Amino acid sequence: QFIFLKESIAKATTAVFTVICISQGFFILSIRSEKESLLNFSFFGNPFLLFTIIFNFILQTSLIYIPSFSRIFNLESIS
């Protein structure tokens, strides 16, 4: 173990997991069209996609903050 590290490996894993989940949500929004920008689309134009992104956020936060899930996936609260 490194002496100068103040944070645990579980917090680093949680941070990487959070960044991947958030970036995948933006990636899904960005590939809706090959020719038009993300800013040209209506955010509520595809309710199934919106539901999927919200479900992804809820699932991600439950994996971090529900103790039984966080032990299984070796995650910790970031705050």
Side-chain angles (χ1 to χ4, degrees), residues 4-58:
F4 60 87
L5 290 177
K6 293 183 180 179
E7 301 296 325
S8 67
I9 298 297
K11 283 196 177 191
T13 304
T14 305
V16 169
F17 176 67
T18 302
V19 167
I20 289 173
C21 288
I22 291 171
S23 66
Q24 288 300 309
F26 282 113
F27 178 70
I28 289 171
L29 287 173
S30 70
I31 62 170
R32 288 175 63 186
S33 174
E34 293 181 6
K35 297 179 181 180
E36 294 187 34
S37 171
L38 173 64
L39 302 175
N40 294 338
F41 285 104
S42 170
F43 187 69
F44 301 104
N46 189 345
F48 295 112
L49 183 63
L50 183 62
F51 171 75
T52 303
I53 293 171
I54 292 171
F55 180 72
N56 181 25
F57 178 74
I58 292 170

